[in-house]
Amino acid sequence: MAGASGPPDAAVYARATTTDTESAAEIEDVSPDGTARPLTEGALLGSFRAVAAARSWTGGDGHDLMPYHPYTNTSARPVVPGAVTRYDIEIFPTFATIAEGPSLRVTLSTADVPHLLPDLAQIGRRVGGVYSVQRGGGAASALEVPLQPST
């Protein structure tokens, strides 16, 4: 057994056809029989993807663990349609014991209702959007989960 301990980091590289995006990530513990147990989740509006490095948590290897997004008007910037863009989704810290055999599953979606209900302006920037998540090369999306080994 191992324990997932702390904030996981979901670094998602994606293209969008719109000037804003919404990405919600849910992490689940999936047993060998297919039973899934929710562990934690997080979400990010693409226009608020700016990360304040000085206020973010990083691991000893320099990787992001918990990105800090200022969520201010001055930090907001539109998504460039068609460009591969990095989105560091802030996922709530968790502590969970994971038995040997299960796997972790990350589900990405384009909404987090009712938590992040968009206003009319946000809907207009996202309606009809198509997202393409990158999975390889120099823009490979990844999930980093801090683990605490069993004793």
PDB file of all heavy atoms in Angstrom, residues 9 44 48-58 64-72 75 88-91:
ATOM      1  N   ASP A   9      -0.752  17.459  -9.127  1.00  0.00           N
ATOM      2  CA  ASP A   9      -0.660  18.485 -10.163  1.00  0.00           C
ATOM      3  C   ASP A   9      -1.068  17.890 -11.499  1.00  0.00           C
ATOM      4  O   ASP A   9      -0.524  16.870 -11.914  1.00  0.00           O
ATOM      5  CB  ASP A   9       0.776  19.018 -10.275  1.00  0.00           C
ATOM      6  CG  ASP A   9       0.934  19.971 -11.455  1.00  0.00           C
ATOM      7  OD1 ASP A   9       0.182  20.961 -11.511  1.00  0.00           O
ATOM      8  OD2 ASP A   9       1.785  19.719 -12.318  1.00  0.00           O
ATOM      9  N   LEU A  44     -10.135  24.843 -13.680  1.00  0.00           N
ATOM     10  CA  LEU A  44      -9.434  26.047 -14.101  1.00  0.00           C
ATOM     11  C   LEU A  44     -10.117  26.648 -15.317  1.00  0.00           C
ATOM     12  O   LEU A  44     -10.416  25.936 -16.278  1.00  0.00           O
ATOM     13  CB  LEU A  44      -7.976  25.706 -14.455  1.00  0.00           C
ATOM     14  CG  LEU A  44      -7.115  26.853 -14.971  1.00  0.00           C
ATOM     15  CD1 LEU A  44      -6.857  27.886 -13.871  1.00  0.00           C
ATOM     16  CD2 LEU A  44      -5.806  26.321 -15.519  1.00  0.00           C
ATOM     17  N   PHE A  48      -7.658  32.354 -16.912  1.00  0.00           N
ATOM     18  CA  PHE A  48      -6.999  32.612 -15.632  1.00  0.00           C
ATOM     19  C   PHE A  48      -5.887  31.600 -15.364  1.00  0.00           C
ATOM     20  O   PHE A  48      -5.615  31.243 -14.227  1.00  0.00           O
ATOM     21  CB  PHE A  48      -8.021  32.598 -14.488  1.00  0.00           C
ATOM     22  CG  PHE A  48      -8.906  33.807 -14.478  1.00  0.00           C
ATOM     23  CD1 PHE A  48     -10.216  33.724 -14.902  1.00  0.00           C
ATOM     24  CD2 PHE A  48      -8.417  35.035 -14.060  1.00  0.00           C
ATOM     25  CE1 PHE A  48     -11.035  34.836 -14.908  1.00  0.00           C
ATOM     26  CE2 PHE A  48      -9.227  36.156 -14.047  1.00  0.00           C
ATOM     27  CZ  PHE A  48     -10.544  36.063 -14.479  1.00  0.00           C
ATOM     28  N   ARG A  49      -5.204  31.156 -16.427  1.00  0.00           N
ATOM     29  CA  ARG A  49      -4.172  30.128 -16.316  1.00  0.00           C
ATOM     30  C   ARG A  49      -2.830  30.645 -15.815  1.00  0.00           C
ATOM     31  O   ARG A  49      -1.939  29.859 -15.501  1.00  0.00           O
ATOM     32  CB  ARG A  49      -3.979  29.433 -17.659  1.00  0.00           C
ATOM     33  CG  ARG A  49      -3.380  30.329 -18.733  1.00  0.00           C
ATOM     34  CD  ARG A  49      -3.433  29.682 -20.109  1.00  0.00           C
ATOM     35  NE  ARG A  49      -2.940  30.555 -21.144  1.00  0.00           N
ATOM     36  CZ  ARG A  49      -3.644  31.513 -21.726  1.00  0.00           C
ATOM     37  NH1 ARG A  49      -4.889  31.737 -21.374  1.00  0.00           N
ATOM     38  NH2 ARG A  49      -3.110  32.254 -22.686  1.00  0.00           N
ATOM     39  N   ALA A  50      -2.646  31.961 -15.716  1.00  0.00           N
ATOM     40  CA  ALA A  50      -1.372  32.512 -15.247  1.00  0.00           C
ATOM     41  C   ALA A  50      -1.038  31.933 -13.879  1.00  0.00           C
ATOM     42  O   ALA A  50      -1.913  31.772 -13.028  1.00  0.00           O
ATOM     43  CB  ALA A  50      -1.444  34.030 -15.166  1.00  0.00           C
ATOM     44  N   VAL A  51       0.223  31.594 -13.687  1.00  0.00           N
ATOM     45  CA  VAL A  51       0.687  31.008 -12.429  1.00  0.00           C
ATOM     46  C   VAL A  51       1.683  31.970 -11.783  1.00  0.00           C
ATOM     47  O   VAL A  51       2.617  32.443 -12.439  1.00  0.00           O
ATOM     48  CB  VAL A  51       1.365  29.640 -12.671  1.00  0.00           C
ATOM     49  CG1 VAL A  51       1.975  29.093 -11.399  1.00  0.00           C
ATOM     50  CG2 VAL A  51       0.367  28.650 -13.256  1.00  0.00           C
ATOM     51  N   ALA A  52       1.474  32.255 -10.505  1.00  0.00           N
ATOM     52  CA  ALA A  52       2.413  33.063  -9.726  1.00  0.00           C
ATOM     53  C   ALA A  52       3.392  32.102  -9.062  1.00  0.00           C
ATOM     54  O   ALA A  52       3.080  31.489  -8.039  1.00  0.00           O
ATOM     55  CB  ALA A  52       1.677  33.900  -8.698  1.00  0.00           C
ATOM     56  N   ALA A  53       4.569  31.946  -9.658  1.00  0.00           N
ATOM     57  CA  ALA A  53       5.539  30.950  -9.195  1.00  0.00           C
ATOM     58  C   ALA A  53       5.937  31.165  -7.734  1.00  0.00           C
ATOM     59  O   ALA A  53       6.113  30.197  -6.991  1.00  0.00           O
ATOM     60  CB  ALA A  53       6.772  30.969 -10.085  1.00  0.00           C
ATOM     61  N   ALA A  54       6.059  32.401  -7.314  1.00  0.00           N
ATOM     62  CA  ALA A  54       6.499  32.686  -5.941  1.00  0.00           C
ATOM     63  C   ALA A  54       5.485  32.212  -4.898  1.00  0.00           C
ATOM     64  O   ALA A  54       5.848  31.991  -3.745  1.00  0.00           O
ATOM     65  CB  ALA A  54       6.752  34.180  -5.771  1.00  0.00           C
ATOM     66  N   ARG A  55       4.224  32.054  -5.292  1.00  0.00           N
ATOM     67  CA  ARG A  55       3.190  31.621  -4.345  1.00  0.00           C
ATOM     68  C   ARG A  55       2.760  30.185  -4.572  1.00  0.00           C
ATOM     69  O   ARG A  55       1.864  29.687  -3.910  1.00  0.00           O
ATOM     70  CB  ARG A  55       1.993  32.559  -4.435  1.00  0.00           C
ATOM     71  CG  ARG A  55       2.393  33.980  -4.009  1.00  0.00           C
ATOM     72  CD  ARG A  55       1.253  34.900  -3.848  1.00  0.00           C
ATOM     73  NE  ARG A  55       0.423  34.492  -2.717  1.00  0.00           N
ATOM     74  CZ  ARG A  55      -0.714  35.079  -2.412  1.00  0.00           C
ATOM     75  NH1 ARG A  55      -1.150  36.088  -3.134  1.00  0.00           N
ATOM     76  NH2 ARG A  55      -1.439  34.666  -1.389  1.00  0.00           N
ATOM     77  N   SER A  56       3.376  29.496  -5.528  1.00  0.00           N
ATOM     78  CA  SER A  56       3.033  28.108  -5.840  1.00  0.00           C
ATOM     79  C   SER A  56       3.874  27.155  -5.008  1.00  0.00           C
ATOM     80  O   SER A  56       4.978  27.504  -4.589  1.00  0.00           O
ATOM     81  CB  SER A  56       3.279  27.826  -7.324  1.00  0.00           C
ATOM     82  OG  SER A  56       2.444  28.622  -8.128  1.00  0.00           O
ATOM     83  N   TRP A  57       3.369  25.942  -4.801  1.00  0.00           N
ATOM     84  CA  TRP A  57       4.134  24.895  -4.121  1.00  0.00           C
ATOM     85  C   TRP A  57       4.869  24.097  -5.193  1.00  0.00           C
ATOM     86  O   TRP A  57       4.269  23.705  -6.187  1.00  0.00           O
ATOM     87  CB  TRP A  57       3.224  23.947  -3.367  1.00  0.00           C
ATOM     88  CG  TRP A  57       2.500  24.515  -2.198  1.00  0.00           C
ATOM     89  CD1 TRP A  57       2.450  25.812  -1.790  1.00  0.00           C
ATOM     90  CD2 TRP A  57       1.692  23.782  -1.292  1.00  0.00           C
ATOM     91  NE1 TRP A  57       1.657  25.925  -0.686  1.00  0.00           N
ATOM     92  CE2 TRP A  57       1.172  24.692  -0.354  1.00  0.00           C
ATOM     93  CE3 TRP A  57       1.344  22.440  -1.179  1.00  0.00           C
ATOM     94  CZ2 TRP A  57       0.339  24.308   0.676  1.00  0.00           C
ATOM     95  CZ3 TRP A  57       0.508  22.059  -0.144  1.00  0.00           C
ATOM     96  CH2 TRP A  57       0.026  22.985   0.778  1.00  0.00           C
ATOM     97  N   THR A  58       6.145  23.845  -4.957  1.00  0.00           N
ATOM     98  CA  THR A  58       6.903  22.996  -5.871  1.00  0.00           C
ATOM     99  C   THR A  58       7.566  21.889  -5.070  1.00  0.00           C
ATOM    100  O   THR A  58       7.824  22.040  -3.875  1.00  0.00           O
ATOM    101  CB  THR A  58       7.987  23.795  -6.626  1.00  0.00           C
ATOM    102  OG1 THR A  58       8.828  24.449  -5.684  1.00  0.00           O
ATOM    103  CG2 THR A  58       7.368  24.821  -7.551  1.00  0.00           C
ATOM    104  N   ASP A  64       5.929  21.520 -10.370  1.00  0.00           N
ATOM    105  CA  ASP A  64       4.782  22.123  -9.690  1.00  0.00           C
ATOM    106  C   ASP A  64       4.013  21.062  -8.924  1.00  0.00           C
ATOM    107  O   ASP A  64       3.813  19.957  -9.414  1.00  0.00           O
ATOM    108  CB  ASP A  64       3.826  22.769 -10.696  1.00  0.00           C
ATOM    109  CG  ASP A  64       4.400  24.018 -11.323  1.00  0.00           C
ATOM    110  OD1 ASP A  64       5.235  24.670 -10.673  1.00  0.00           O
ATOM    111  OD2 ASP A  64       4.004  24.336 -12.458  1.00  0.00           O
ATOM    112  N   LEU A  65       3.607  21.404  -7.712  1.00  0.00           N
ATOM    113  CA  LEU A  65       2.712  20.542  -6.946  1.00  0.00           C
ATOM    114  C   LEU A  65       1.350  21.192  -6.799  1.00  0.00           C
ATOM    115  O   LEU A  65       0.330  20.543  -6.935  1.00  0.00           O
ATOM    116  CB  LEU A  65       3.291  20.240  -5.556  1.00  0.00           C
ATOM    117  CG  LEU A  65       4.501  19.345  -5.505  1.00  0.00           C
ATOM    118  CD1 LEU A  65       4.971  19.170  -4.069  1.00  0.00           C
ATOM    119  CD2 LEU A  65       4.198  17.991  -6.128  1.00  0.00           C
ATOM    120  N   MET A  66       1.354  22.485  -6.499  1.00  0.00           N
ATOM    121  CA  MET A  66       0.098  23.199  -6.354  1.00  0.00           C
ATOM    122  C   MET A  66       0.287  24.599  -6.920  1.00  0.00           C
ATOM    123  O   MET A  66       0.806  25.491  -6.254  1.00  0.00           O
ATOM    124  CB  MET A  66      -0.339  23.255  -4.901  1.00  0.00           C
ATOM    125  CG  MET A  66      -1.725  23.791  -4.722  1.00  0.00           C
ATOM    126  SD  MET A  66      -2.242  23.507  -3.010  1.00  0.00           S
ATOM    127  CE  MET A  66      -3.922  24.040  -3.125  1.00  0.00           C
ATOM    128  N   PRO A  67      -0.143  24.807  -8.166  1.00  0.00           N
ATOM    129  CA  PRO A  67       0.037  26.117  -8.781  1.00  0.00           C
ATOM    130  C   PRO A  67      -0.877  27.145  -8.120  1.00  0.00           C
ATOM    131  O   PRO A  67      -2.000  26.842  -7.740  1.00  0.00           O
ATOM    132  CB  PRO A  67      -0.370  25.878 -10.234  1.00  0.00           C
ATOM    133  CG  PRO A  67      -1.320  24.735 -10.170  1.00  0.00           C
ATOM    134  CD  PRO A  67      -0.847  23.871  -9.039  1.00  0.00           C
ATOM    135  N   TYR A  68      -0.368  28.362  -7.983  1.00  0.00           N
ATOM    136  CA  TYR A  68      -1.186  29.447  -7.453  1.00  0.00           C
ATOM    137  C   TYR A  68      -1.591  30.339  -8.614  1.00  0.00           C
ATOM    138  O   TYR A  68      -0.746  30.905  -9.308  1.00  0.00           O
ATOM    139  CB  TYR A  68      -0.420  30.260  -6.405  1.00  0.00           C
ATOM    140  CG  TYR A  68      -1.232  31.421  -5.885  1.00  0.00           C
ATOM    141  CD1 TYR A  68      -2.128  31.229  -4.838  1.00  0.00           C
ATOM    142  CD2 TYR A  68      -1.129  32.681  -6.462  1.00  0.00           C
ATOM    143  CE1 TYR A  68      -2.895  32.283  -4.367  1.00  0.00           C
ATOM    144  CE2 TYR A  68      -1.898  33.737  -5.993  1.00  0.00           C
ATOM    145  CZ  TYR A  68      -2.780  33.526  -4.955  1.00  0.00           C
ATOM    146  OH  TYR A  68      -3.546  34.565  -4.503  1.00  0.00           O
ATOM    147  N   HIS A  69      -2.898  30.446  -8.834  1.00  0.00           N
ATOM    148  CA  HIS A  69      -3.441  31.307  -9.882  1.00  0.00           C
ATOM    149  C   HIS A  69      -3.973  32.582  -9.232  1.00  0.00           C
ATOM    150  O   HIS A  69      -4.835  32.497  -8.354  1.00  0.00           O
ATOM    151  CB  HIS A  69      -4.571  30.596 -10.631  1.00  0.00           C
ATOM    152  CG  HIS A  69      -4.150  29.307 -11.263  1.00  0.00           C
ATOM    153  ND1 HIS A  69      -3.427  29.255 -12.427  1.00  0.00           N
ATOM    154  CD2 HIS A  69      -4.338  28.026 -10.882  1.00  0.00           C
ATOM    155  CE1 HIS A  69      -3.192  27.995 -12.746  1.00  0.00           C
ATOM    156  NE2 HIS A  69      -3.724  27.228 -11.818  1.00  0.00           N
ATOM    157  N   PRO A  70      -3.509  33.770  -9.645  1.00  0.00           N
ATOM    158  CA  PRO A  70      -3.957  35.009  -9.014  1.00  0.00           C
ATOM    159  C   PRO A  70      -5.455  35.309  -9.211  1.00  0.00           C
ATOM    160  O   PRO A  70      -6.063  35.955  -8.368  1.00  0.00           O
ATOM    161  CB  PRO A  70      -3.110  36.087  -9.695  1.00  0.00           C
ATOM    162  CG  PRO A  70      -1.940  35.374 -10.240  1.00  0.00           C
ATOM    163  CD  PRO A  70      -2.407  33.991 -10.572  1.00  0.00           C
ATOM    164  N   TYR A  71      -6.045  34.865 -10.321  1.00  0.00           N
ATOM    165  CA  TYR A  71      -7.464  35.129 -10.604  1.00  0.00           C
ATOM    166  C   TYR A  71      -7.793  36.613 -10.514  1.00  0.00           C
ATOM    167  O   TYR A  71      -8.778  37.011  -9.883  1.00  0.00           O
ATOM    168  CB  TYR A  71      -8.385  34.325  -9.680  1.00  0.00           C
ATOM    169  CG  TYR A  71      -8.295  32.834  -9.879  1.00  0.00           C
ATOM    170  CD1 TYR A  71      -7.750  32.011  -8.907  1.00  0.00           C
ATOM    171  CD2 TYR A  71      -8.758  32.242 -11.049  1.00  0.00           C
ATOM    172  CE1 TYR A  71      -7.651  30.643  -9.090  1.00  0.00           C
ATOM    173  CE2 TYR A  71      -8.669  30.874 -11.243  1.00  0.00           C
ATOM    174  CZ  TYR A  71      -8.121  30.084 -10.259  1.00  0.00           C
ATOM    175  OH  TYR A  71      -8.025  28.731 -10.442  1.00  0.00           O
ATOM    176  N   THR A  72      -6.957  37.448 -11.120  1.00  0.00           N
ATOM    177  CA  THR A  72      -7.203  38.883 -11.141  1.00  0.00           C
ATOM    178  C   THR A  72      -7.425  39.339 -12.579  1.00  0.00           C
ATOM    179  O   THR A  72      -7.031  38.649 -13.530  1.00  0.00           O
ATOM    180  CB  THR A  72      -6.006  39.655 -10.568  1.00  0.00           C
ATOM    181  OG1 THR A  72      -4.863  39.413 -11.393  1.00  0.00           O
ATOM    182  CG2 THR A  72      -5.720  39.256  -9.123  1.00  0.00           C
ATOM    183  N   SER A  75      -4.181  39.513 -14.442  1.00  0.00           N
ATOM    184  CA  SER A  75      -3.547  38.242 -14.806  1.00  0.00           C
ATOM    185  C   SER A  75      -4.304  37.510 -15.915  1.00  0.00           C
ATOM    186  O   SER A  75      -3.783  36.583 -16.511  1.00  0.00           O
ATOM    187  CB  SER A  75      -3.421  37.325 -13.588  1.00  0.00           C
ATOM    188  OG  SER A  75      -4.696  36.817 -13.207  1.00  0.00           O
ATOM    189  N   ASP A  88      -2.245  24.508 -15.859  1.00  0.00           N
ATOM    190  CA  ASP A  88      -1.921  23.840 -14.597  1.00  0.00           C
ATOM    191  C   ASP A  88      -3.175  23.884 -13.735  1.00  0.00           C
ATOM    192  O   ASP A  88      -3.503  24.928 -13.164  1.00  0.00           O
ATOM    193  CB  ASP A  88      -0.756  24.537 -13.893  1.00  0.00           C
ATOM    194  CG  ASP A  88       0.551  24.292 -14.613  1.00  0.00           C
ATOM    195  OD1 ASP A  88       1.036  23.144 -14.535  1.00  0.00           O
ATOM    196  OD2 ASP A  88       1.057  25.220 -15.256  1.00  0.00           O
ATOM    197  N   ILE A  89      -3.857  22.755 -13.657  1.00  0.00           N
ATOM    198  CA  ILE A  89      -5.119  22.695 -12.926  1.00  0.00           C
ATOM    199  C   ILE A  89      -4.828  22.493 -11.445  1.00  0.00           C
ATOM    200  O   ILE A  89      -4.194  21.511 -11.056  1.00  0.00           O
ATOM    201  CB  ILE A  89      -6.023  21.576 -13.473  1.00  0.00           C
ATOM    202  CG1 ILE A  89      -6.293  21.813 -14.962  1.00  0.00           C
ATOM    203  CG2 ILE A  89      -7.322  21.512 -12.678  1.00  0.00           C
ATOM    204  CD1 ILE A  89      -7.030  20.683 -15.644  1.00  0.00           C
ATOM    205  N   GLU A  90      -5.282  23.436 -10.643  1.00  0.00           N
ATOM    206  CA  GLU A  90      -5.119  23.348  -9.192  1.00  0.00           C
ATOM    207  C   GLU A  90      -6.100  22.300  -8.663  1.00  0.00           C
ATOM    208  O   GLU A  90      -7.310  22.446  -8.786  1.00  0.00           O
ATOM    209  CB  GLU A  90      -5.401  24.698  -8.547  1.00  0.00           C
ATOM    210  CG  GLU A  90      -5.215  24.705  -7.064  1.00  0.00           C
ATOM    211  CD  GLU A  90      -5.491  26.072  -6.456  1.00  0.00           C
ATOM    212  OE1 GLU A  90      -5.637  27.055  -7.198  1.00  0.00           O
ATOM    213  OE2 GLU A  90      -5.566  26.132  -5.231  1.00  0.00           O
ATOM    214  N   ILE A  91      -5.546  21.228  -8.112  1.00  0.00           N
ATOM    215  CA  ILE A  91      -6.365  20.133  -7.586  1.00  0.00           C
ATOM    216  C   ILE A  91      -6.244  20.147  -6.074  1.00  0.00           C
ATOM    217  O   ILE A  91      -5.158  20.306  -5.521  1.00  0.00           O
ATOM    218  CB  ILE A  91      -5.916  18.786  -8.176  1.00  0.00           C
ATOM    219  CG1 ILE A  91      -6.110  18.821  -9.698  1.00  0.00           C
ATOM    220  CG2 ILE A  91      -6.691  17.632  -7.554  1.00  0.00           C
ATOM    221  CD1 ILE A  91      -5.633  17.601 -10.420  1.00  0.00           C
TER     222      ILE A  91
END
